[in-house]
Structures are given as C-alpha cells and as structure tokens.
C-alpha cells in the first residue's frame, strides 16, 4: 500500500530528476521529452513538415539587452578560453512562466525547504494540466545555480542562505569540464559570507586575500574526494570543493586558482570583461530583438573545415570528408566574427535563435541570405534528413552588423532536442578563398 506521504515524495523526486536533466542537457544532445512547450500552446503556421520552410522578415524593433545577460558578460574575464564558449541563462522569463502555471517562486520567507515544495507544485501542475513544465529548452547551468543534477539532490539554502529561488541568471565560460561559474539575482553576498563562516557542517575553507578581496578555497585544484561528494557548502559530483568568490550580488565558483583570481581581477577593474568586446555586446542586443532567454556565444566561429571535423567528432560513423561534402552542398557564409545560438518563446511556443556578428553591414546582408538558404535547402550532417524537416518557418533580418534569425519548429518539436553545437556547425559555417585553397592543397 502506498501512503499519501510516500506518493508525494515520489512526485517530488520525479520532478527534481526531470527538471535537473533538462537543465543540464545543453552539454550534449538535449534530453527528449514528449512536449517541448511551456504555457499556452501557440498556433503553428502549418501542420507538420511540408518539405519547405516559410521565410519572413523579422521585426527589428529595438529591445534593450537582457540585464542578466549584460550583468553576467560584464564579469566574465576577457580571455581566449572564455570567449570560445559562454553559456547564459536568463531565468526571469522561466520563473514567470512557471508562476503562471501555478508554481510560485519561493522567497527567503518561504523557509529552507521551499524548493522541495516548489518542485512538488510544479509536478502536480504538470499532472493536472498535461503541460510539461520542465522541458523549456535552455543552456546548461553551473553547479552554484542549483539548476543542475546536483541541485536536484542537494540544497544550499541551509548552508549559504541561497538556492535556486535566489537565482535570476547564470553563466558558464571556458572549458566545458572546468568552466567559470557565475550567478546573479537576489543574492546578499555579505550575508552569504557570514552564513558560510557560521556553517558548522560545512567543510572548512582556506580564506585567501587577493587584490584587497577575499575568496574561499577547498582542497587541491581539480582533485576531489568521493567522500566529499555533494558535501556542504558546494562540493560537486566528484567531491571537488573548488573556489568561491562573493562580490556585489554575484556568486562565482571555479575549480582553478587562476580562474577565480581572474574573476577578482575583473571585479577590481584590473582586467577587462568580454562585455568590453563590441561583438559580444552587439550579440546580447541582437538576442533581445529575437526574444532569447538562453544563449551560447563563441568568437571562434565555425570555419567550414573545422566545422566538418567537429561534426565528425559529434556523429559516430561519419568521417570528416563526408561531413564536409554535406556542409558544401549549400553555399557557406562569408567570414564573420561571432556566432551565438539560443532559445526563445513566442506566445508559448519555443523556437531556436541564431545570431551572427559580421565585419560589416554589407556582409551581414549577404550572410542573412546565405543563412536562410542553408536553413531552407541544407541537409543535416548526420544524414537524418534536411533542415526543412525540422523547421516550419524562419524570421530573419539584420541590425547593423548582426544577422538575427528565429527558427520555429514543426509540430513534432524535434528541432528543440538538438544541441546548440549542431545548429552552429551545420548552419553558421563560413569559408573564404584563402582557407579553401589551403585545404584543397592538403
């Protein structure tokens, strides 16, 4: 016999696990779900795949960039390894959507176990409404955000005085296996410092002074102890405590001393941030026009031959020359400076976004047409059909040097199960005569 209490516990656990899997799916192929929408379902332009993609002009009305995007980018150090891969999430639209469906965001007055109740409300709302509340696509979130698998198992509120309820935005930057981690939101960093130092169950940190600021360190770089797996205050799945820095409403974590000190260097004005690079700021503004709430950025865009190698690495059984042949079936773009892929929602229906920052307005105009052609005519590298089988319609346009595209999925929503990397290396690829001649010579 299953008691009501045990049944409710199972609902909560299922909610936590499902939520965490979706939150982490941006590292690779996202987890497939039955329904990829959140909120009221919008009418789709056409029913199912017609083998063609409807194209229309994007409304280019200016919209200010997400304050969460701006705040996070302004604190990520301007280093090559960081610029190669940045994942951003603006959680305010997601919190708002969940609230509209009956799962209200907890506050600090809600108690230390409030997130457990929130996930229970979320699961019960899904059960009664039939709407999958967990599957809104977004980018991966860092350990400190709680919006990951670890956050479904542990809760940091009792140790640090914050958890998912306090997070408005998250960022990761750099190598995927050891990224910088940042969160912003309703975070009183002075109180967090006090809570950490008062925590009797937390592993004791080493307190380090650097550039007039203080950060905390637990254990050797990159090395964990499974006895410390998910230990308080913020150990990860491998038992690594890492380093943490709390500064003016931002919580930051890293596994490396050099990374955490670079975050301090930005905070004290010793080092510039990626927001100081015009292309990243332009991309953030372009995503606002597209309505993006989660995005991945890279200023190491996919030159055709590099894209073929990446495609082969990500698709077992496909050789680089096969991937290259597929990518060359439709004319590549001209060389550009930055590519960014993300997700948005329009009247309840999720869609993919692609932003490309170009060297000039003229190249942006040409690349907008070339990108539209690749979406309408191109085949996927993994030989599972063309892009027209996934995309129902596109809205595309330019704003200065930026190309901005919104890709709306067919009813089966399969587009939304793709990795951001597949969208980037298949569609946002470029070549130039010099690289083409060099590689042909090889």
């Amino acid at each position: 016999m299953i008691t009501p209490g045990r049944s409710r516990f199972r609902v909560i656990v299922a909610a936590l696990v499902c939520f965490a899997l979706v939150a982490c799916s941006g590292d690779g192929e996202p987890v497939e779900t039955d329904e990829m929408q959140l909120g009221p379902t919008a009418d789709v332009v056409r029913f199912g795949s017609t083998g063609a993609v409807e194209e229309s002009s994007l409304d280019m009305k200016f919209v200010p960039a997400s304050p969460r995007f701006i705040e996070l980018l302004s604190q990520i150090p301007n280093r090559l390894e960081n610029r190669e891969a940045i994942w951003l999430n603006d959680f305010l639209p997601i919190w708002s959507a969940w609230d509209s469906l009956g799962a209200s965001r907890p506050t600090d007055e809600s108690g230390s176990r409030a997130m457990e109740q929130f996930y229970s409300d979320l699961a019960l709302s899904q059960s009664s409404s039939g709407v999958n509340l967990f599957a809104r696509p977004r980018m991966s979130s860092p350990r400190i955000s709680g919006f990951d698998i670890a956050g479904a198992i542990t809760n940091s509120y009792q140790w640090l005085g914050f958890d998912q309820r306090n997070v408005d935005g998250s960022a990761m930057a750099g190598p995927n296996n050891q990224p910088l981690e940042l969160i912003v939101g309703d975070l009183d960093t002075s109180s967090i410092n006090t809570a950490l130092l008062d925590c009797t169950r937390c592993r004791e940190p080493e307190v380090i002074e650097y550039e007039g600021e203080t950060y905390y360190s637990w254990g050797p770089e990159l090395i964990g102890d499974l006895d410390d797996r998910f230990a308080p205050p913020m150990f990860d799945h491998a038992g690594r405590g890492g380093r943490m820095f709390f500064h003016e409403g931002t919580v930051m974590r890293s596994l490396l001393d050099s990374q955490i000190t670079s975050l301090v260097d930005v905070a004290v004005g010793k080092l510039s941030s990626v927001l100081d690079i015009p292309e990243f700021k332009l991309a953030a503004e372009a995503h606002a026009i597209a309505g993006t709430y989660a995005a991945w950025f890279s200023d190491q865009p996919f030159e055709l031959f590099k894209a073929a190698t990446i495609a082969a690495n990500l698709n077992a059984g496909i050789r680089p020359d096969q991937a290259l042949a597929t990518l060359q079936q439709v004319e590549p773009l001209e060389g550009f400076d930055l590519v960014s892929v993300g997700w948005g929602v329009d009247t309840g229906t999720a869609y993919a976004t692609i932003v490309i920052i170009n060297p000039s307005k003229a190249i942006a105009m040409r690349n907008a047409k070339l990108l539209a052609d690749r979406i309408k005519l191109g085949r996927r590298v993994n030989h599972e059909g063309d892009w027209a089988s996934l995309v129902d319609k596109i809205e595309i346009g330019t704003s200065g040097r930026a190309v901005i595209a919104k890709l709306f999925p067919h009813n089966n929503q399969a587009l939304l199960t793709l990795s951001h990397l597949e969208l980037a290396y298949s569609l946002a690829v470029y070549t130039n005569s010099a690289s083409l001649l060099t590689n042909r010579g090889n």
Side-chain angles (χ1 to χ4, degrees):
M1 177 178 179
I2 299 177
T3 65
R6 183 177 299 177
S7 176
R8 180 174 179 274
F9 175 76
R10 289 182 177 179
V11 167
I12 294 171
V13 170
L16 290 170
V17 172
C18 180
F19 180 82
L21 288 175
V22 173
C24 293
S25 62
D27 286 342
E29 289 296 317
V31 177
E32 290 196 28
T33 59
D34 294 333
E35 172 62 59
M36 294 302 294
Q37 298 180 358
L38 188 67
T41 302
D43 292 335
V44 179
V45 175
R46 297 192 302 276
F47 181 79
S49 174
T50 64
V53 180
E54 179 182 305
E55 180 184 352
S56 61
S57 297
L58 178 66
D59 181 357
M60 303 305 293
K61 180 180 179 181
F62 175 78
V63 179
S66 159
R68 269 67 59 191
F69 279 16
I70 295 298
E71 188 174 2
L72 290 162
L73 290 172
S74 72
Q75 297 179 76
I76 296 173
N78 178 12
R79 287 182 167 180
L80 175 63
E81 65 268 23
N82 294 334
R83 300 196 309 270
E84 287 182 343
I86 296 174
W87 297 258
L88 298 182
N89 288 295
D90 183 347
F91 284 107
L92 288 191
I94 300 175
W95 282 118
S96 177
W98 286 333
D99 184 70
S100 70
L101 292 164
S104 298
R105 181 177 183 176
T107 66
D108 286 333
E109 288 70 44
S110 303
S112 62
R113 300 179 65 86
M115 285 307 300
E116 179 181 320
Q117 181 62 51
F118 171 82
Y119 287 127
S120 177
D121 293 343
L122 206 55
L124 293 173
S125 295
Q126 176 183 347
S127 177
S128 62
S129 68
V131 177
N132 190 331
L133 306 179
F134 305 101
R136 191 171 190 168
R138 58 181 181 276
M139 295 298 155
S140 294
S141 294
R143 170 71 181 95
I144 52 175
S145 72
F147 290 110
D148 65 343
I149 291 177
I153 300 170
T154 63
N155 183 276
S156 61
Y157 199 87
Q158 58 184 316
W159 320 122
L160 294 171
F162 76 88
D163 60 11
Q164 296 97 317
R165 79 189 79 181
N166 303 100
V167 178
D168 291 345
S170 74
M172 296 195 301
N176 197 32
N177 61 341
Q178 52 190 48
L180 290 173
E181 305 177 19
L182 302 91
I183 54 172
V184 295
D186 182 16
L187 299 161
D188 184 337
T189 46
S190 176
S191 296
I192 294 170
N193 272 288
T194 301
L196 172 61
L197 296 176
D198 289 345
C199 178
T200 58
R201 293 190 58 185
C202 294
R203 304 296 193 267
E204 186 173 353
E206 180 182 0
V207 181
I208 299 176
E209 300 293 331
Y210 175 77
E211 293 289 340
E213 300 287 340
T214 299
Y215 71 88
Y216 303 94
S217 176
W218 290 265
E221 292 183 308
L222 300 177
I223 299 175
D225 185 335
L226 290 181
D227 288 338
D228 289 331
R229 181 179 172 88
F230 301 133
M234 195 62 74
F235 282 69
D236 62 19
H237 65 285
R240 300 172 299 190
R243 292 88 179 92
M244 294 184 69
F245 175 47
F246 313 121
H247 181 76
E248 295 183 357
T250 304
V251 174
M252 309 174 219
R253 179 178 180 270
S254 172
L255 297 174
L256 298 172
D257 291 321
S258 60
Q259 285 184 330
I260 206 71
T261 54
S262 71
L263 288 165
V264 177
D265 287 339
V266 173
V268 300
K270 183 179 176 181
L271 181 65
S272 64
S273 74
V274 294
L275 188 64
D276 295 319
I277 302 171
E279 285 73 20
F280 280 89
K281 185 176 182 182
L282 287 174
E285 294 170 347
H287 275 302
I289 294 173
T292 310
Y293 62 83
W296 169 87
F297 298 71
S298 178
D299 73 350
Q300 302 297 306
F302 293 101
E303 190 275 332
L304 186 65
F305 297 92
K306 177 182 176 182
T309 301
I310 293 173
N313 290 338
L314 294 177
N315 293 280
I318 295 179
R319 301 190 310 271
D321 62 312
Q322 294 174 317
L324 181 62
T326 300
L327 292 173
Q328 288 180 314
Q329 288 178 356
V330 179
E331 185 178 357
L333 280 62
E334 296 185 30
F336 54 88
D337 299 319
L338 180 147
V339 59
S340 185
V341 175
W343 307 110
V345 168
D346 183 9
T347 61
T349 298
Y351 55 85
T353 62
I354 298 176
V355 167
I356 296 171
I357 305 301
N358 302 273
S360 68
K361 294 180 180 179
I363 294 177
M365 295 289 289
R366 292 195 291 272
N367 275 346
K369 181 182 184 305
L370 292 169
L371 177 62
D373 288 344
R374 293 190 69 80
I375 297 169
K376 292 187 291 184
L377 305 173
R379 292 188 60 81
R380 296 176 61 192
V381 173
N382 60 9
H383 302 296
E384 292 184 4
D386 52 29
W387 286 99
S389 67
L390 299 177
V391 180
D392 186 71
K393 72 167 188 172
I394 58 173
E395 295 178 3
I396 192 166
T398 63
S399 176
R401 294 195 287 136
V403 173
I404 310 170
K406 296 166 65 171
L407 285 62
F408 291 87
H410 289 302
N411 279 0
N412 61 18
Q413 305 287 291
L415 172 69
L416 305 179
T417 69
L418 300 187
S419 164
H420 59 280
L421 285 177
E422 181 171 355
L423 287 162
Y425 74 66
S426 293
L427 297 175
V429 298
Y430 75 94
T431 191
N432 54 58
S433 56
S435 67
L436 192 60
L437 290 172
T438 299
N439 283 277
R440 282 178 177 170
N442 294 334

